[in-house]
Amino acid sequence: MIRSKTALRRAASSAPDWLPLTTPPHKALLEENRKLHERLRLEIMITSLSTHFINIPADRIDAGILYAMRVLGKWAETDRMSILQFEADGDSLERTHAWSVKDLELAPLPRRVDLRRLPWLRERMRGLHAVHLPNIAALPPEAAAEHKAWEAWGTRSMLAVPLVYRGNARGYLILETVRGEKTWSKIHVSTLRVAGEFLINATERKKTDQERKLMEERVLHDALHDALTGLPNRVFFLERVGRALERAARLPGEFCAVLLLDLDRFRRINDIMGQARGNLLLVELAQRFARQLPVGATLARLGGDEFGFLLEDVGGLDPATALAERLLKEMGEPLNVEGQEIYASGSIGIALGTDAYKTPGEILRDADTALDRAKGSGKGGHTVFDTSMHAKAVHLLRLETDLRKAMERREFFLHYQPIVDLKNRRLMGFEALVRWKQPSKPEMVSPVDFIPVAEETGLIVPLGKWVVEEAARQLRQWQDRFRGEPLLTMSVNISGKQFENGRLAEEIRQACADAGILPSTLKLEITESALMGNPEAAAVVLQELRASGFQLSLDDFGTGYSSLSYLHRFPFNTLKIDRSFVTRLEAGNKEDEIVRVINAMAGTLGMDVVAEGIESPSQLGHLLRHGVGFGQGYYFSRPLDVQSADRTLRAPETLWSGMAKTA
């Protein structure tokens, strides 16, 4: 159908006034549709890339960046694209990622770019400007160095868009053409700026995931190794001994041997020379001992001046006694510590690992018995454990008998150590600690002596049950007398043996019900060693306790070989940083960094952190700086009897007067 000129004029006169009169209406609409289509395509691309980086796992970030560069490169119609990130000096750029179209045959681009050799470009990049060069050949004379470099790289057009992370320049996204010249639009620049944020955020996340994995590995390594000598520690050694005993039990005629070496008069050396030189002496001896080890043997520092040696797959005692003699001879040679010549000596106890041993603790116990005999026989010798060494067993039997009588006579009582809110300076609760005083003896029996015996004999089960009941009863009295928000809490320690009786959760629930306290105000502290015997059974009990409303704390965190895994396997609410880290806290040292990482990890997992063993204002300051929430230690108070704890509850501000009051 052919329209008349009159009809065409009418149609033109009815068109919107924003269309040029020289543009036919259908062409303007087509152009508008094209622009809308391009804008929609652009938004879809940006949204897709953003979602891509949100969901991508850390180990796939590099692949994700290359995918994004390929998408952006095709959209921007460029031949190659690079991410260059500033190095520490601010004048060098490292090419961390690169993409190019297929079949682009050019010399490889340099890994690093020194901006000091490219002053014209350096001036623009330091101002965070986008640099757009549609024609490299048209560069001004002052950019001669840049012209020469790009010409060598085959570049004909270039666009550099700054990569900004949290307001700071991290590098540049570089687009280059080599097959022809290219002019990029403002839309390209603005879009690439947005896309660059995704790319640089992804690279920063990768770096963070790597400052985290390395730190986790370091925490795990430090949990297994002695900080002074770098040798395996007691936990590592016990684990290796346990494996060696299992292997020896499976292979008739093959044994393992454990040697314990203790230095003579080391405390006196420390007193005379100072702890710093004493530590240097230990390091030097550790290196000498390592040189005497046969292949496959393990050397560990078990604590203080005690070293452990493990020989595996031996046919008898001869290799162990031969090693002992070499070690004693090595100690007979003078040691040079900061120019001072020192002679050291030591004693060695040896135990042969047979199928009679069921746990690593048993063979270490007998090696320790032999060590005591070696010390008693004269300095600088070694003794092999045999069945005639029953003195310690007799002592343990006597202590066990006394323990049973103490249970009947109610000779046990509790002391309470305050736990405080470090930031808000509030008394939050107490940790209940069992004590034993025999009427016939002037001093209390140390928990270090009777707790292991109670564990070994199983008496820890009724003793632990009494501790929970008494602590819950006392907590109810204090909650009634000292009301406040939040409610006062009580922490009690649970041993590994208690997990084995099958009625732990029921007994603790009953203790709370009898005392009339909320389960959430009773905190149960479990050491990693208590879980190691039977982790699966322990997990069931812990889940039951957590479901009942009890708070669960992982005690002595950082000293075990698998603490990190326990954070995921068991439902803990709280981590207690072991006192060994707190007592060595100094600004910027290893312990300081470990405490920071532990607190950050706990925060990520939604867990509270309690620091044990706080003894000085300096330690408290470091803990506060890292955001540690709670703490306990002699800086605030020693464990208190009931009357002293009452006085503290009436005047909790006295906890902040420092060590002077507890000296």
Side-chain angles (χ1 to χ4, degrees):
M1 178 179 178
I2 300 176
R3 289 187 168 184
S4 66
K5 292 183 179 180
T6 302
L8 289 174
R9 283 195 298 270
R10 288 175 179 171
S13 63
S14 64
D17 57 10
W18 46 265
L19 284 177
L21 293 178
T22 56
T23 303
H26 66 285
K27 289 187 178 181
L29 290 173
L30 288 174
E31 178 62 17
E32 184 65 21
N33 285 338
R34 186 190 66 78
K35 290 181 179 178
L36 289 173
H37 177 75
E38 286 298 320
R39 188 182 305 165
L40 180 61
R41 178 181 168 221
L42 183 59
E43 290 179 356
I44 291 173
M45 179 184 71
I46 293 298
T47 302
S48 175
L49 291 178
S50 173
T51 305
H52 174 72
F53 282 111
I54 290 174
N55 297 324
I56 195 170
D59 60 351
R60 294 287 299 161
I61 283 177
D62 281 332
I65 289 175
L66 292 177
Y67 164 78
M69 292 173 71
R70 183 170 67 249
V71 171
L72 292 169
K74 291 182 178 179
W75 167 78
E77 298 177 345
T78 189
D79 292 330
R80 63 188 179 197
M81 182 184 297
S82 302
I83 293 178
L84 276 71
Q85 297 192 51
F86 284 114
E87 295 185 330
D89 61 7
D91 284 322
S92 300
L93 290 163
E94 179 185 7
R95 198 180 308 273
T96 58
H97 301 81
W99 166 88
S100 64
V101 296
K102 290 183 179 180
D103 304 324
L104 193 66
E105 297 182 0
L106 288 172
L109 294 171
R111 180 68 183 272
R112 283 178 172 79
V113 176
D114 188 350
L115 289 179
R116 289 169 295 190
R117 298 182 178 180
L118 305 170
W120 183 87
L121 182 63
R122 179 191 187 195
E123 181 181 351
R124 283 149 183 80
M125 282 191 165
R126 297 193 104 182
L128 283 184
H129 299 300
V131 182
H132 184 196
L133 303 172
N135 183 1
I136 296 299
L139 279 168
E142 58 268 25
E146 287 78 1
H147 183 278
K148 182 178 179 181
W150 279 314
E151 190 175 58
W153 300 335
T155 305
R156 299 181 65 179
S157 298
M158 190 276 287
L159 173 64
V161 178
L163 298 173
V164 180
Y165 180 76
R166 296 183 177 178
N168 296 315
R170 286 291 190 266
Y172 269 82
L173 182 64
I174 308 294
L175 284 71
E176 298 170 277
T177 63
V178 298
R179 299 179 296 186
E181 296 174 357
K182 170 72 176 177
T183 299
W184 288 278
S185 67
K186 291 183 179 179
I187 293 294
H188 284 114
V189 175
S190 60
T191 301
L192 290 169
R193 282 184 183 271
V194 174
E197 291 185 13
F198 304 152
L199 299 176
I200 200 63
N201 283 339
T203 61
E204 292 294 326
R205 182 157 68 93
K206 180 187 173 185
K207 292 177 185 176
T208 302
D209 184 71
Q210 289 171 337
E211 278 180 342
R212 183 181 59 82
K213 289 183 178 179
L214 287 174
M215 191 52 64
E216 286 179 358
E217 291 172 1
R218 181 175 178 181
V219 171
L220 186 59
H221 176 274
D222 290 344
L224 283 168
H225 292 80
D226 171 54
L228 177 64
T229 63
L231 295 175
N233 62 13
R234 179 178 290 272
V235 173
F236 189 114
F237 190 69
L238 284 171
E239 192 270 341
R240 291 296 298 269
V241 171
R243 292 186 184 180
L245 287 174
E246 291 174 0
R247 187 161 50 253
R250 295 194 304 267
L251 301 172
E254 293 292 332
F255 309 99
C256 65
V258 170
L259 296 81
L260 296 184
L261 183 152
D262 194 70
L263 299 181
D264 300 327
R265 301 181 302 276
F266 182 70
R267 180 176 296 178
R268 188 165 179 266
I269 293 175
N270 260 352
D271 291 341
I272 295 174
M273 300 179 55
Q275 186 176 354
R277 286 186 175 180
N279 286 342
L280 292 176
L281 175 66
L282 290 174
V283 172
E284 174 65 24
L285 283 172
Q287 294 171 353
R288 289 192 177 192
F289 293 158
R291 291 195 291 266
Q292 297 299 329
L293 286 184
V295 176
T298 300
L299 165 62
R301 184 186 178 209
L302 304 183
D305 59 343
E306 185 178 32
F307 293 85
F309 303 80
L310 171 65
L311 302 180
E312 303 186 49
D313 302 328
V314 295
L317 280 168
D318 289 346
T321 56
L323 174 60
E325 290 168 1
R326 293 198 304 272
L327 293 171
L328 293 172
K329 182 179 179 181
E330 187 69 54
M331 282 191 290
E333 298 295 325
L335 295 141
N336 190 300
V337 178
E338 293 186 335
Q340 184 172 352
E341 197 171 73
I342 302 171
Y343 285 86
S345 64
S347 302
I348 298 175
I350 305 172
L352 187 66
T354 67
D355 57 6
Y357 292 109
K358 304 303 180 186
T359 67
E362 292 175 355
I363 189 172
L364 258 70
R365 177 197 62 199
D366 288 349
D368 193 53
T369 298
L371 175 60
D372 289 339
R373 178 65 62 89
K375 288 181 175 180
S377 301
K379 307 296 184 182
H382 65 82
T383 300
V384 177
F385 178 84
D386 62 49
T387 54
S388 65
M389 297 178 184
H390 63 280
K392 188 173 182 179
V394 171
H395 169 71
L396 292 177
L397 181 60
R398 183 180 298 116
L399 190 57
E400 178 185 347
T401 302
D402 290 342
L403 272 171
R404 293 186 186 278
K405 291 180 180 179
M407 292 291 295
E408 298 170 0
R409 297 169 181 170
R410 300 180 180 273
E411 294 176 357
F412 294 100
F413 55 96
L414 296 182
H415 276 180
Y416 304 90
Q417 186 170 39
I419 299 176
V420 300
D421 181 333
L422 300 180
K423 181 179 180 181
N424 298 308
R425 294 197 169 198
R426 292 187 301 178
L427 173 61
M428 304 303 294
F430 296 90
E431 179 180 0
L433 301 167
V434 65
R435 297 291 185 259
W436 179 20
K437 174 67 171 64
Q438 294 177 291
S440 60
K441 296 183 179 180
E443 63 276 338
M444 290 191 292
V445 183
S446 171
V448 174
D449 293 329
F450 73 82
I451 291 295
V453 178
E455 288 269 8
E456 185 173 337
T457 60
L459 287 172
I460 195 69
V461 174
L463 179 59
K465 182 175 182 291
W466 174 83
V467 169
V468 171
E469 293 170 348
E470 179 65 15
R473 183 193 63 78
Q474 184 62 61
L475 178 61
R476 176 55 190 266
Q477 289 187 12
W478 281 335
Q479 287 179 344
D480 287 344
R481 292 166 53 198
F482 304 95
R483 297 182 180 276
E485 290 293 337
L487 286 174
L488 202 66
T489 64
M490 184 73 75
S491 298
V492 294
N493 294 282
I494 304 297
S495 77
K497 289 287 185 181
Q498 288 175 272
F499 280 101
E500 299 173 6
N501 76 357
R503 301 184 63 248
L504 177 63
E506 178 184 345
E507 289 177 355
I508 297 178
R509 284 196 297 266
Q510 188 61 50
C512 286
D514 292 343
I517 63 171
L518 294 173
S520 59
T521 61
L522 188 66
K523 297 189 174 184
L524 309 176
E525 296 189 2
I526 302 99
T527 62
E528 184 175 327
S529 60
L531 305 173
M532 289 172 60
N534 191 342
E536 290 73 22
V540 173
V541 177
L542 290 176
Q543 291 288 356
E544 185 178 358
L545 289 168
R546 179 70 182 269
S548 299
F550 295 102
Q551 300 286 304
L552 304 178
S553 298
L554 181 58
D555 201 6
D556 298 339
F557 182 77
T559 60
Y561 69 93
S562 54
S563 297
L564 297 177
S565 66
Y566 284 137
L567 298 186
H568 299 282
R569 294 181 62 186
F570 300 107
F572 290 108
N573 309 92
T574 302
L575 297 182
K576 297 196 76 174
I577 300 177
D578 186 70
R579 66 179 64 246
S580 63
F581 295 111
V582 176
T583 55
R584 296 195 295 263
L585 271 180
E586 292 180 10
N589 73 351
K590 178 182 65 177
E591 285 74 22
D592 189 57
E593 184 65 8
I594 288 173
V595 168
R596 184 191 69 78
V597 172
I598 290 175
N599 190 67
M601 287 167 45
T604 301
L605 296 172
M607 303 170 71
D608 292 329
V609 174
V610 178
E612 297 182 297
I614 304 173
E615 296 182 357
S616 71
S618 174
Q619 294 165 4
L620 176 61
H622 291 307
L623 294 168
L624 286 170
R625 181 165 55 86
H626 292 314
V628 174
F630 305 94
Q632 63 188 99
Y634 283 7
Y635 178 76
F636 304 106
S637 173
R638 297 173 184 270
L640 306 170
D641 58 26
V642 173
Q643 293 76 21
S644 300
D646 274 336
R647 290 194 292 271
T648 298
L649 283 165
R650 287 194 293 271
E653 66 275 5
T654 59
L655 292 171
W656 297 92
S657 60
M659 293 185 67
K661 69 179 181 58
T662 59

